[in-house]
Amino acid sequence: ACGCLSLLSALTSVRCLTAEQYPLLSEILAKCLAVPENPDFLQSVFALIGDAAGVCVELVVPVLDAAIRSLLDHLASDLGDNVAVNALWAMGQLAARYPVSPESANRAASIMVQTMTTKNYPTRAYLDNQVVALGRCLCRVDMPVVDLSPVLARWSRLISLIAEDGERSAAVEGFLL
């Protein structure tokens, strides 16, 4: 099943899917989001959500609420770094492109700030995705409900390490608003 999701993710990201296939794929994605927690499976589901968010509006919109609920539940997942990395990446992709509610964006920002101050995630992918997703989520709220002061110094150090200018800009924008 994970291999099939990875294939769908790859096809989605290179835009090989047709609009006629989106309803079926949305149905598959909805069923995947309802599967009990399996780290490998969730990692693939979140990768598909993130890939689809960038290129296939019609694929993600029907499952947006369920996707956001699942992502929020796994931003600081104990199921492994790869689940959390992909959840962060997908949340950042959704926040950048869809009308993520201010409540969901604030909850995501709160989770990310809490993990920035209490957990030590050693992988660079986790940290990169975390600072970008946090910035993108903050763009969705008028007034963050989370105190950002405990993470600003760490965030500024981490943002300077992100190589891609577009990703760095996305992360910075949320803190400037």
Side-chain angles (χ1 to χ4, degrees):
C2 295
C4 291
L5 288 174
S6 295
L7 177 60
L8 284 175
S9 188
L11 291 172
T12 300
S13 64
V14 295
R15 300 176 185 193
C16 288
L17 303 175
T18 64
E20 294 79 30
Q21 295 164 322
Y22 292 164
L24 175 62
L25 293 173
S26 291
E27 185 178 323
I28 291 169
L29 190 52
K31 289 181 183 188
C32 289
L33 286 166
V35 170
E37 296 190 5
N38 172 312
D40 293 333
F41 192 75
L42 280 173
Q43 176 185 347
S44 296
V45 170
F46 295 158
L48 178 56
I49 292 168
D51 288 339
V55 294
C56 303
V57 173
E58 298 86 359
L59 177 58
V60 176
V61 169
V63 297
L64 187 61
D65 290 338
I68 289 174
R69 277 192 306 276
S70 186
L71 292 169
L72 288 172
D73 288 343
H74 294 93
L75 289 177
S77 181
D78 291 330
L79 295 176
D81 282 346
N82 292 333
V83 173
V85 166
N86 285 4
L88 285 163
W89 182 72
M91 190 69 201
Q93 293 292 92
L94 290 175
R97 292 168 177 83
Y98 295 97
V100 174
S101 73
E103 295 80 18
S104 292
N106 260 320
R107 182 166 172 227
S110 294
I111 292 167
M112 287 182 260
V113 166
Q114 181 182 11
T115 60
M116 276 183 144
T117 58
T118 60
K119 289 189 176 184
N120 184 20
Y121 287 93
T123 66
R124 178 66 187 270
Y126 183 91
L127 296 172
D128 287 354
N129 284 310
Q130 186 179 47
V131 295
V132 172
L134 180 56
R136 287 178 171 169
C137 285
L138 291 173
C139 286
R140 293 288 179 192
V141 297
D142 292 328
M143 191 63 168
V145 295
V146 62
D147 178 14
L148 300 172
S149 59
V151 298
L152 287 177
R154 183 173 188 194
W155 176 85
S156 64
R157 282 191 308 272
L158 294 172
I159 201 66
S160 69
L161 300 174
I162 295 176
E164 187 182 327
D165 287 340
E167 294 294 300
R168 185 180 301 137
S169 296
V172 171
E173 186 178 354
F175 278 87
L176 297 178
L177 295 177

